[in-house]
C-alpha cells in the first residue's frame, strides 16, 4: 500500500480527533447555556470560559475538511454530496452560533440576550449532532454505487448509525464541557460542573462506545478491540479523578477516551475511507480515492510547516488564558457612549456592554 495515501489518512484522522477534542467542550458549553446556567451572570461566565478559544478551535474543522478535499477528492465528493441536507444545517448552525457570540452583548436587553442564548444552544447542538452523524456514516457506510454516487432519496443517509453518531458526539461534548467548566471556573459553577460529570459520565459516553463497538464488530481487528478496552479504562480514570476533585486529570482522561475511541474506529475501517452499503467492491479506499503522489507530496511539505505553527499558537492561547474565572470577575452590564460618533464627530446614542 502506498505510503503517502496512508500517511494522509492518518493525518486526517488526527485532524478530526483534534477538532472533536478542542471544539467538543465549547460546543458542550454552548449547549449548557440554557440548561446548566441559572442566571445571566452564569451564562456570561460560561461564554467567557470559551470566548478566547472557540473560533481558534474551529480552525481544525476547516483544516480537516480542506485536507480531505485535497488528499482524497473522491472521498470528499461522495461524502459531502450525499450529506448536502445535514451539512447545510450544520453550516447554518455554526453561522448562527458564531454571530450569537459576537452580537449577544451588543444590546442591553433581556429579550435580545435570550434570543442569542437560544442561537448558541441550538446551534451548538445541531452542529455537534450533524458532525457526529457525518463521521459515523463515513465509518459505517452510505448507499454508494460503482461511481461513488449516493443511491436513494435525499434522506437515504438517515440511518440508526447516523443517529448513534450524532448522540455520541452530543453526549461527549456535554460531558467534556462539564469537565472543562470544573477545570476553568470557581465557585458554585465549578461544583455543579463536577457533579454533572460524576452523574452523567456513563450514559453520556455509552453512544460513543456503542459506535466504536459497532465498527469493530463489522471489521473484527484485534488492535481496535484493544483500543476500545483502553478507552473504557480512560473513562473510569476520568470518573475517579472527578470524584477526587482532580479536574485537570478528569478533563485529560476524557480526552484520552476520545483519542483512543477515535483511533479504534479509524483503525478498524482502514484502508476503507467510505464503505458502500450496497457492495463492498464499491468501497472507497485510501488507494482509489486519493490524489496523485505529486499532490500528496506537496501537501506533506506544506503540512510539515503549517501544522506546528497552528499547534504553537493554539498552545500559546490556552496558556495565556489558563486562569480560573468566576462570576466575581465579571462587571455588571452597563451602557456606554460609542467612541466614534456620526460625521459631525459627536457621539449619539449608547451601546450596551456586558454580554460576554
Amino acid at each position: 500500500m502506498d505510503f503517502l495515501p496512508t500517511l494522509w489518512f492518518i493525518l486526517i484522522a488526527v485532524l478530526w480527533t483534534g477538532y472533536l477534542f478542542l471544539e467538543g467542550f465549547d460546543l458542550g458549553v454552548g449547549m449548557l447555556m440554557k440548561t446548566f446556567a441559572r442566571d445571566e451572570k452564569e451564562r456570561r461566565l460560561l461564554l467567557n470560559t470559551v470566548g478566547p478559544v472557540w473560533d481558534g478551535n474551529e480552525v481544525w474543522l476547516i483544516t480537516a475538511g480542506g485536507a480531505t478535499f485535497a488528499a482524497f477528492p473522491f472521498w470528499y465528493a461522495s461524502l459531502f454530496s450525499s450529506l448536502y441536507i445535514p451539512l447545510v444545517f450544520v453550516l447554518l448552525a455554526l453561522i448562527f452560533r458564531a454571530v450569537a457570540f459576537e452580537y449577544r452583548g451588543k444590546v442591553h436587553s433581556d429579550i435580545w440576550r435570550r434570543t442569542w442564548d437560544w442561537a448558541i444552544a441550538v446551534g451548538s447542538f445541531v452542529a455537534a449532532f450533524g458532525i457526529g452523524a457525518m463521521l459515523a456514516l463515513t465509518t459505517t457506510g452510505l448507499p454508494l454505487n460503482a461511481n461513488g454516487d449516493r443511491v436513494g432519496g435525499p434522506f437515504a443517509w438517515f440511518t440508526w448509525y447516523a443517529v448513534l453518531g450524532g448522540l455520541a458526539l452530543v453526549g461527549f461534548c456535554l460531558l467534556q464541557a462539564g469537565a472543562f467548566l470544573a477545570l476553568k471556573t470557581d465557585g458554585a459553577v465549578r461544583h455543579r460542573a463536577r457533579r454533572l460529570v460524576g452523574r452523567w459520565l456513563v450514559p453520556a459516553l455509552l453512544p460513543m462506545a456503542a459506535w466504536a463497538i459497532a465498527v469493530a464488530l463489522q471489521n473484527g481487528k484485534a488492535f481496535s478491540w484493544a483500543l476500545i478496552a483502553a478507552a473504557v479504562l480512560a473513562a473510569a480514570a476520568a470518573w475517579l479523578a472527578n470524584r477526587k476533585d482532580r479536574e485537570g486529570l478528569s478533563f485529560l482522561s476524557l480526552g484520552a477516551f476520545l483519542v483512543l475511541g477515535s483511533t479504534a474506529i479509524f483503525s478498524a475501517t482502514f484502508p476503507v475511507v467510505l464503505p458502500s452499503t450496497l457492495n463492498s467492491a464499491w468501497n472507497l479506499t485510501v488507494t482509489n480515492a486519493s490524489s496523485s503522489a505529486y499532490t500528496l507530496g506537496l501537501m506533506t511539505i506544506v503540512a510539515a510547516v503549517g501544522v506546528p505553527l497552528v499547534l504553537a499558537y493554539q498552545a500559546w492561547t490556552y496558556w495565556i488564558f489558563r486562569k480560573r474565572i468566576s462570576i466575581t470577575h465579571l462587571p455588571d452590564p452597563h451602557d456606554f457612549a460609542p467612541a466614534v460618533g456620526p460625521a459631525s464627530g459627536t457621539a449619539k446614542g449608547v451601546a450596551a456592554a456586558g454580554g460576554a
Side-chain angles (χ1 to χ4, degrees):
M1 190 168 295
D2 293 337
F3 170 72
L4 285 177
T6 301
L7 174 64
W8 273 96
F9 176 82
I10 295 171
L11 289 176
I12 289 171
V14 169
L15 288 171
W16 278 115
T17 304
Y19 171 72
L20 297 181
F21 178 77
L22 294 174
E23 183 84 328
F25 67 79
D26 74 56
L27 286 173
V29 168
M31 285 185 271
L32 292 175
M33 284 284 290
K34 299 301 293 183
T35 57
F36 179 83
R38 293 179 174 174
D39 53 36
E40 171 59 16
K41 277 216 166 184
E42 288 194 357
R43 281 186 281 275
R44 289 175 58 202
L45 178 64
L46 264 60
L47 286 177
N48 276 271
T49 62
V50 298
V53 297
W54 70 268
D55 47 354
N57 293 341
E58 290 190 348
V59 169
W60 289 78
L61 174 63
I62 298 169
T63 307
T68 305
F69 170 76
F72 298 99
F74 295 104
W75 178 13
Y76 180 94
S78 295
L79 180 65
F80 281 66
S81 63
S82 299
L83 302 178
Y84 271 136
I85 292 177
L87 289 180
V88 165
F89 281 103
V90 168
L91 180 61
L92 291 173
L94 290 173
I95 290 172
F96 275 100
R97 180 174 178 268
V99 171
F101 274 119
E102 301 297 334
Y103 276 32
R104 184 184 187 276
K106 300 303 183 185
V107 175
H108 189 14
S109 160
D110 290 338
I111 296 176
W112 176 268
R113 285 192 291 262
R114 280 198 299 269
T115 300
W116 293 116
D117 286 344
W118 278 110
I120 293 172
V122 176
S124 298
F125 173 82
V126 172
F129 189 92
I131 292 170
M134 181 192 73
L135 291 175
L137 290 170
T138 200
T139 57
T140 57
L142 285 164
L144 304 178
N145 61 21
N147 195 43
D149 298 325
R150 185 202 66 218
V151 175
F155 294 97
W157 56 271
F158 192 72
T159 65
W160 80 270
Y161 281 123
V163 175
L164 179 63
L167 293 176
L169 191 52
V170 168
F172 175 79
C173 289
L174 288 170
L175 196 67
Q176 187 79 332
F180 177 75
L181 291 174
L183 176 64
K184 184 65 178 171
T185 64
D186 211 347
V189 171
R190 175 186 180 184
H191 300 306
R192 294 209 319 275
R194 205 160 54 219
R195 288 198 298 271
L196 181 150
V197 174
R199 183 177 303 168
W200 293 101
L201 187 142
V202 173
L205 295 184
L206 271 179
M208 187 167 286
W211 172 13
I213 291 170
V215 173
L217 286 173
Q218 286 183 352
N219 298 276
K221 294 180 180 177
F223 180 64
S224 299
W225 286 108
L227 288 170
I228 291 173
V232 172
L233 293 177
W239 185 81
L240 289 172
N242 183 73
R243 279 185 60 90
K244 294 177 183 280
D245 300 341
R246 300 184 63 182
E247 291 100 341
L249 181 58
S250 175
F251 180 79
L252 291 176
S253 296
L254 286 175
F257 170 86
L258 173 72
V259 171
L260 291 166
S262 174
T263 306
I265 291 169
F266 280 108
S267 64
T269 60
F270 181 82
V272 176
V273 296
L274 183 57
S276 170
T277 57
L278 303 179
N279 190 332
S280 60
W282 300 336
N283 290 346
L284 296 179
T285 68
V286 294
T287 301
N288 64 22
S290 67
S291 294
S292 67
Y294 176 81
T295 300
L296 295 178
L298 186 61
M299 289 175 59
T300 303
I301 295 172
V302 173
V305 176
V307 172
L309 290 176
V310 172
L311 292 174
Y313 88 70
Q314 283 214 291
W316 177 82
T317 302
Y318 279 93
W319 176 255
I320 291 296
F321 295 100
R322 67 189 182 278
K323 299 292 187 181
R324 289 185 184 272
I325 58 175
S326 69
I327 58 175
T328 59
H329 296 131
L330 303 178
D332 292 327
H334 58 281
D335 294 327
F336 64 92
V340 179
S344 63
T346 60
K348 294 182 179 180
V350 295

